[in-house]
Structures are given as C-alpha cells and as structure tokens.
Amino acid sequence: MREISIKLVQVIVAGAAVAGVAPPTLLEAAGLAADQLADPDARISLGQATRLWHEAARLTGDESFGLHLSERLPIDGFGALGFALRSSPTLGEAYERAARYLRLVARGPTLAITLEGPLARIVHEPPATGHAPSRHAVEFLLANLVMAARRGVDPAFVPRAARFRHAAPARVDEHRRLFGGALGFGEARDELLLDRRSLASPQAQAEPALCEVLDLHLASLLAALPDDRSFLDRARAALAAEIGHGEPSLTALAARLRLSPRSLQRRLQQEGSSLSSLLDGLRADLALRYLRESRDSIAEVAFLLGFSEV
C-alpha cells in the first residue's frame, strides 16, 4: 500500500493556510474530509496526496509550493522525527535518520545514501507501482534535506547538484536559489549530490542523549506500522505458518490475519484469488523446495504437505 501520514497532510494544509487558502477550501478541492485531520494515526493514499499537492499549488498560485513549504516548516512539523533530525550529532546522521524513518511519513518512497569517492549521493526512489508522486512532494522532500543542512550546519549550504525525474517547471529561479545552479530535470532519478565531507559536519543543536531517546520512540512507531507487503503476500505467509498444523481452514487463516472469515473471503475474491488456489500454489512451491533441498522421499513430502496422493 502506498500512503502518506495525516501529519504530512496537516503540514500541507497549514502551509496553504499561511498563503491564504482556508483549510475547508483546500480539503474540498482535494476530495478529503475535515474529520480525517483529527486522527493522528490516519493515512491517505498516494493518489489522494498527489491531488492534495496539486490543489495546494493551484489554489495558492505558488508553482514552487513544495520548496516554500520546506522553508516555512517548523522543527516540530513532524513531531519526534523533526527533533531527532535536529538533535543528531552530525549532518550525515540526520540524513540517515531521515532515510530510516521516512516510512513514518510516507509508505512507499525510500531514501538511499551512497558514497562514491569524494561525493555523497542521496537518492529518492518513488514507489515501484501505483501513482507517481507529485513533483511538489519530491521537491519538498529534497528541499527539506537542504534546509536541514542550513539550519543545523551552515546557513549558506548548497548541494553540488540536484536532479529530478520530472520535467522543468516554467520557472526555476526558486529552485536555483535553494539548490544552486547545478540543476537537472527529466533525469533518471531524484537525487542530491553533496561533498562527502559535509556528512561529518557537526550540527549546532545536537543533543546525542535526546537523540537516543527519540530513536527508541521512533523505532517503536516504525515497528507498529502495518506490513508493506501486499495482502496476498501476507495471506501466503500466514498460510505457510498454518500449514504445519494440518489442513488450513478459512477460519484459522482469518484469525492469523486478524480478519473475520467473511472479510477474508471477500478480500481474496477482490484479489482474484481463493483459499484453495493459494493453498495449491503454496503446496506446489513447498513441494519443489523440499524435493530440491531435503532428503525426504516423495511420499514423505506428499504427507507433510497434505497432498491426497503421491
């Protein structure tokens, strides 16, 4: 599933409000309900988020909405995550935490940090399937990394280069102001290139002890998030665990997935599958693995996996 946290929705709505767009106006244009903002654990789909970014830029008349939002975002805009980034001893550790905990803000996209000689590369990877993210969302993310360096290390910080998958907007003066002159659009990936040495730069407001406490809290929040695997992947995993206890039943599988049997049956139908087809596929896969990797006879494999005959 590809989703963004309601906390990011609140940030976008608040940013548009500062620019004069009333929250009800933006939410209605984006097809969202006001009561969704009241649940701190709620999430919206990436498709809804893309529409929200588009409407925020349209209604504010700000074609650089994502960039400007990153500059206005207060340190507590993302709660504990924002404080953890600021409290990190070095800029590199702040970026590592941003990559590690990005899933708390958006499930689907990822950040990867690679080192290549004197360069450090921070790459944003969008979800492999589903809606492409809004360009404002991507620009907001990469601009936040630049702003973290400016607030924590050097107010004049500029990356060596910034590259984006999306096409160049009509005007890029604000992009140059924030990212510097080495800009690329229509590139193979979204990324920032930095001097590797800058990752070791100490942060002015570092609080290592606080950072350790926040790490524990953020790790617990991350562990509590639902599994990113597809529903069928989770159903197969649950079925594999159940098959060792005898013939799997719909009721037993539903209990493992924390669904009612009726809800499970409906979800399987929506995915174009069924308990019997999942079970047949799993037994075939396991049979091939056992025959290839174990010394069990065909008869023993058939018995272990519940085949009616060899």
Side-chain angles (χ1 to χ4, degrees):
M1 187 175 290
R2 312 305 183 211
E3 309 168 314
I4 71 164
S5 165
I6 209 68
K7 291 188 176 78
L8 179 53
V9 175
Q10 293 167 344
V11 166
I12 297 168
V13 171
V18 169
V21 178
T25 302
L26 174 56
L27 291 172
E28 182 179 1
L32 299 173
D35 59 1
Q36 288 178 271
L37 272 65
D39 181 358
D41 297 321
R43 289 178 173 258
I44 66 171
S45 70
L46 187 58
Q48 291 174 304
T50 298
R51 183 175 175 185
L52 177 64
W53 281 108
H54 171 78
E55 292 298 334
R58 182 181 69 82
L59 292 171
T60 59
D62 184 358
E63 280 303 303
S64 299
F65 179 78
L67 302 184
H68 295 151
L69 183 59
S70 73
E71 294 180 291
R72 290 194 293 261
L73 184 65
I75 189 63
D76 61 352
F78 288 123
L81 177 56
F83 286 109
L85 300 187
R86 185 186 69 174
S87 302
S88 299
T90 66
L91 180 63
E93 290 178 73
Y95 286 160
E96 287 170 3
R97 285 184 171 86
R100 187 185 316 151
Y101 299 123
L102 177 62
R103 191 164 167 259
L104 292 173
V105 179
R107 289 172 59 198
T110 61
L111 278 177
I113 304 170
T114 59
L115 304 177
E116 301 174 6
L119 291 178
R121 190 186 299 272
I122 306 179
V123 180
H124 160 256
E125 283 294 339
T129 58
H131 291 269
S134 162
R135 78 164 176 89
H136 298 291
V138 176
E139 292 173 0
F140 173 74
L141 175 60
L142 296 192
N144 265 295
L145 299 177
V146 173
M147 291 307 301
R150 289 186 178 178
R151 290 167 179 152
V153 176
D154 177 6
F157 176 87
V158 174
R160 277 205 177 190
R163 296 167 181 160
F164 300 94
R165 283 182 170 87
H166 55 261
R171 297 183 59 181
V172 296
D173 49 323
E174 288 296 89
H175 297 73
R176 288 197 182 97
R177 179 179 65 82
L178 199 64
F179 296 112
L183 278 173
F185 294 92
E187 300 281 353
R189 51 191 172 186
D190 308 308
E191 63 180 357
L192 292 180
L193 268 63
L194 320 172
D195 286 318
R196 181 173 180 169
R197 293 174 300 177
S198 66
L199 298 182
S201 302
Q203 293 212 109
Q205 300 182 63
E207 295 184 67
L210 173 61
C211 205
E212 287 184 15
V213 174
L214 292 170
D215 262 336
L216 292 174
H217 175 61
L218 292 168
S220 68
L221 294 178
L222 201 59
L225 287 178
D227 199 323
D228 262 348
R229 293 173 297 174
S230 72
F231 177 74
L232 286 182
D233 285 340
R234 289 188 287 118
R236 288 188 191 99
L239 197 57
E242 192 62 31
I243 203 170
H245 301 285
E247 185 69 13
S249 67
L250 188 71
T251 301
L253 182 60
R256 282 188 178 272
L257 293 170
R258 298 182 180 180
L259 295 170
S260 70
R262 184 181 297 239
S263 295
L264 172 57
Q265 203 162 30
R266 184 169 59 250
R267 286 294 302 274
L268 289 173
Q269 288 173 348
Q270 290 170 349
E271 297 285 346
S273 187
S274 66
L275 176 60
S276 61
S277 64
L278 278 182
L279 188 55
D280 288 346
L282 178 64
R283 279 186 170 138
D285 290 342
L286 290 175
L288 288 172
R289 185 184 304 174
Y290 285 175
L291 291 172
R292 184 171 56 242
E293 299 175 3
S294 79
R295 296 183 178 180
D296 296 333
S297 68
I298 294 178
E300 288 171 323
V301 171
F303 174 77
L304 284 171
L305 297 179
F307 283 96
S308 59
E309 58 183 61
V310 173

